Amino acid sequence: MITRVIGLETEYGLAYDAGSTRPQTTEEVARRLFAPVVEWGRSTNVFLLNGSRLYLDVGSHPEVATAECVDPLELLEQDRAGVLTLARLVSTAEDSLRSEGLEGKIHLFRNNVDSAGNSFGCHENYLIPRRLEYRRLTEQLLPFLVTRQLLSGAGHVAKTEDGPRLVLSQRAEHMWEGVSASSTRSRPMINTRDEPHADAERFRRLHVIVGDTNMAEGSTLLKTVSTSLVLSLLETARVMPSWAIANPVKALRDISRDATGSTLVTLADGRTVTALQIQEYFLEAASAHAAAEGIAEGLVAEVLGLWRLTLDAWAGGDLDAVKGTLDFAAKRELLTRYAERQDLALDDPRVARLELAYHDVAPGAGLRESLEARGLLRRFTDPARVEAAQDTPPSGTRAQLRSRFLAAARGAGVEHQVDWLHLKLTQDPGRTVLLPDPFATSDAAAESLIDELLG
Ligand SMILES: Nc1ncnc2c1ncn2[C@@H]1O[C@H](COP(=O)(O)OP(=O)(O)OP(=O)(O)O)[C@@H](O)[C@H]1O
Ligand SMILES: [Mg+2]
């Protein structure tokens, strides 16, 4: 198995369809959505019993940052548990609206662009050792990330000079730099802000912000596991061929707009290769690395197989083999079939509505569950485990301690605060427990604090 801490932060888009009743601003809807959270947590920024962070980000975007996970399947469960938690808040907010005679419908989108053209993200966090040459690592990772949209692009109907077309990535048009420390102004693919949320002597947290938010669990799985494997490869590989791209932002957009895999990419050394060639290299190297490390089994083997299948599908110009597993292929099938059947242009508002429905996770509004139920989209998680993951932390990380502390403090009715690193009693800051090791599932100071609270 891979032993790396991974966390996913997902920002959601909020919209309100007032129907024939009084309209509400997005701010008003967001406030109503978070009212129950504010009631029990006295804040719009809280940690949940599963160790995740739930908060209202600027621009009225609800965000869930999953707890630290080491098992990629548990990461999927935690990510999806976040959807359930928000969906329940939507139901409660709609009940509250209805009690005031407002019959509107709240929509909650897992996507990356709103109708005003703003972009919001799905950030991936990967724990890496501090001792690595960080610059080399990020430079070598970038060509993989630029071409990774072939695996995990969410697809998007974009307006281009040649009319509407289905591009690979929602996020590609909104990235402005390869690697930098600023997250909003210049929006880099890798954000280098150094906030390890861990012992800074031993660890770094790699913050990847170029990825699309995915609906298909297969896309999230392929995205996170392939990236983690490539990181392991880069952590150990001493010499490897350079795939440094001359202009990463341009390449990101070219590959997205072209959506064939055969897009030409100019490398820094002047060579020209295709996006697929770069991916082929990383797949081969990651497979060899996994085999050499003895981890090419179970879920890793499955993901390597899916990665292979995906690149073969692109190479053959036929995505049928992955249309039941990955977002771009699933969405292309859905949207183009619908447009053909109804004889609509891709930029018809009805196609736009269908695209939004693909990303909607409000109860009774979105398509994911029905696509899964009809066998059109593969589900990797077990619904019962996802349900339980709403208040059960993932295994193998300090999220376990956070969760037990939260449960004990709430049970005792004692004021407390936590963040990724700390467990605190508000009235007794001297007793604050620091958890610098993300892999720690037990800790003497934490245990004694929890025992005391349990009385
Ligand atoms: N040491 C670590 N290595 C990798 N991931 C981590 C580590 N510590 C925490 N994480 C993950 O990083 C994410 C942090 O989410 P959070 O939204 O708080 O991000 P941030 O970048 O610190 O802050 P913000 O979004 O407010 O700018 C979570 O998903 C968490 O599980
Ligand atoms: Mg965040």
Side-chain angles (χ1 to χ4, degrees):
M1 247 346 241
I2 323 170
T3 42
R4 181 188 310 285
V5 164
I6 310 179
L8 277 181
E9 298 162 60
T10 308
E11 282 180 81
Y12 291 76
L14 203 53
Y16 182 65
D17 176 0
S20 55
T21 54
R22 177 159 48 86
Q24 301 278 300
T25 64
T26 318
E27 291 73 31
E28 286 170 322
V29 175
R31 226 174 300 133
R32 205 179 285 258
L33 192 69
F34 272 74
V37 178
V38 172
E39 195 173 316
W40 68 257
R42 272 179 271 152
S43 167
T44 55
N45 180 3
V46 297
F47 276 81
L48 305 178
L49 279 181
N50 60 10
S52 68
R53 178 180 173 205
L54 166 68
Y55 64 109
L56 188 57
D57 207 348
V58 282
S60 301
H61 290 290
E63 171 169 328
V64 179
T66 71
E68 308 88 333
C69 298
V70 284
D71 177 342
L73 204 54
E74 282 186 286
L75 180 66
L76 287 186
E77 290 168 0
Q78 291 290 325
D79 183 41
R80 196 140 176 173
V83 174
L84 280 189
T85 299
L86 284 173
R88 302 237 151 106
L89 288 174
V90 167
S91 294
T92 309
E94 284 180 345
D95 288 346
S96 139
L97 286 163
R98 222 168 288 127
S99 73
E100 295 171 25
L102 302 171
E103 298 289 336
K105 174 91 198 91
I106 298 173
H107 296 276
L108 188 67
F109 300 113
R110 268 175 81 91
N111 63 359
N112 303 106
V113 275
D114 66 16
S115 54
N118 302 309
S119 178
F120 39 99
C122 172
H123 300 180
E124 300 147 63
N125 301 273
Y126 300 91
L127 186 73
I128 56 173
R130 172 69 56 172
R131 59 172 169 73
L132 292 171
E133 305 151 68
Y134 183 72
R135 235 188 109 172
R136 173 186 68 84
L137 183 90
T138 52
E139 277 168 9
Q140 290 180 335
L141 182 65
L142 207 55
F144 168 72
L145 292 180
V146 167
T147 52
R148 191 184 62 166
Q149 49 185 313
L150 292 170
L151 313 180
S152 55
H156 184 48
V157 177
K159 292 187 179 69
T160 70
E161 303 90 70
D162 321 319
R165 93 149 68 133
L166 195 62
V167 300
L168 260 177
S169 159
Q170 296 209 322
R171 201 68 174 143
E173 302 294 328
H174 300 273
M175 306 307 298
W176 298 98
E177 262 190 286
V179 182
S180 112
S182 151
S183 73
T184 41
R185 227 165 357 102
S186 75
R187 231 187 253 127
M189 301 183 214
I190 300 174
N191 183 318
T192 57
R193 191 181 51 178
D194 192 1
E195 256 176 6
H197 295 325
D199 178 356
E201 307 257 297
R202 292 174 60 201
F203 303 113
R204 269 194 93 127
R205 177 174 62 115
L206 182 80
H207 205 50
V208 173
I209 68 180
V210 68
D212 285 357
T213 308
N214 291 113
M215 293 305 301
E217 292 186 348
S219 296
T220 302
L221 188 67
L222 183 53
K223 170 172 80 179
T224 49
V225 174
S226 65
T227 306
S228 186
L229 284 171
V230 168
L231 284 171
S232 306
L233 167 75
L234 300 180
E235 283 163 18
T236 50
R238 264 146 284 280
V239 215
M240 61 172 271
S242 171
W243 296 95
I245 295 174
N247 185 339
V249 172
K250 178 177 181 300
L252 186 77
R253 296 191 184 161
D254 287 350
I255 295 166
S256 175
R257 288 176 195 170
D258 184 43
T260 65
S262 51
T263 323
L264 294 177
V265 176
T266 307
L267 301 185
D269 62 14
R271 278 183 301 148
T272 303
V273 297
T274 66
L276 255 178
Q277 265 174 293
I278 299 178
Q279 275 295 312
E280 279 291 345
Y281 169 79
F282 280 103
L283 170 55
E284 286 309 316
S287 301
H289 172 75
E293 297 284 309
I295 56 166
E297 52 191 33
L299 194 63
V300 171
E302 190 176 345
V303 172
L304 286 170
L306 178 57
W307 193 350
R308 177 76 274 154
L309 190 70
T310 308
L311 297 192
D312 288 347
W314 280 112
D318 178 358
L319 296 184
D320 265 12
V322 289
K323 72 179 184 201
T325 315
L326 301 181
D327 273 327
F328 177 75
K331 209 164 140 181
R332 186 164 81 171
E333 175 82 4
L334 183 76
L335 298 185
T336 52
R337 286 226 166 177
Y338 176 73
E340 271 165 31
R341 239 186 2 249
Q342 307 286 327
D343 197 19
L344 302 172
L346 268 184
D347 58 352
D348 189 280
R350 280 164 287 184
V351 179
R353 270 202 297 279
L354 186 64
E355 178 175 1
L356 274 179
Y358 186 83
H359 295 276
D360 200 344
V361 289
L367 295 179
R368 174 161 71 176
E369 283 185 6
S370 67
L371 289 172
E372 287 172 341
R374 287 155 61 206
L376 297 174
L377 199 56
R378 177 162 171 212
R379 180 165 184 165
F380 290 76
T381 57
D382 170 359
R385 281 187 60 95
V386 171
E387 183 71 37
Q390 281 193 90
D391 34 45
T392 313
S395 59
T397 71
R398 63 186 169 194
Q400 298 259 325
L401 290 167
R402 188 180 307 126
S403 171
R404 286 170 53 209
F405 172 77
L406 286 171
R410 275 181 213 168
V414 174
E415 274 200 48
H416 58 282
Q417 286 160 288
V418 302
D419 57 33
W420 302 111
L421 268 171
H422 300 96
L423 313 178
K424 285 184 211 173
L425 296 179
T426 312
Q427 305 304 334
D428 193 1
R431 303 262 342 250
T432 298
V433 173
L434 177 70
L435 300 170
D437 180 358
F439 295 103
T441 52
S442 69
D443 174 273
E447 305 290 345
S448 89
L449 195 58
I450 293 166
D451 283 348
E452 239 172 77
L453 288 167
L454 293 173

